[in-house]
Amino acid sequence: AAGGGKGAAMAHGPPPSKPGTVKVWFEDKGFGFVAPDDGGADIFVHRNHLLDCAALQTDARVYFESEWSHQKNKAVATKVASAGALGAAFGIPQGG
């Protein structure tokens, strides 16, 4: 029987490691943008790439991985996890 929790998160490979903050989330459209802590351009996030939730909250802390999308001509998130869930699942220290 398939389980959830840590096993489900680990199935996605290593945890996303780039920290950022949710700038805006459009629940009705299923996407939003994350502002990376490194000051780069905002990263497009679609709900299909959320690892531990179905939606994001504006101003929430997240970790993400991204890559350049030639189709969209911008950086897009490939994995996004809430900071609290990552700390619980992967033992990442939580600041603040």
Side-chain angles (χ1 to χ4, degrees):
K6 290 183 186 179
M10 295 301 280
H12 294 283
S17 60
K18 299 175 184 173
T21 302
V22 179
K23 188 169 183 178
V24 65
W25 180 258
F26 301 102
E27 177 57 30
D28 57 327
K29 297 178 181 175
F31 72 86
F33 294 88
V34 169
D37 283 3
D38 68 9
D42 291 348
I43 306 295
F44 174 84
V45 179
H46 189 273
R47 82 165 70 248
N48 289 346
H49 298 285
L50 303 178
L51 299 181
D52 61 345
C53 57
L56 295 175
Q57 297 290 328
T58 300
D59 296 326
R61 296 289 297 151
V62 295
Y63 288 92
F64 67 94
E65 292 299 329
S66 62
E67 63 185 33
W68 185 259
S69 168
H70 293 285
Q71 179 183 3
K72 296 184 180 300
N73 199 34
K74 61 184 169 186
V76 298
T78 55
K79 295 196 288 188
V80 180
S82 60
L86 265 184
F90 298 104
I92 295 174
Q94 300 300 299

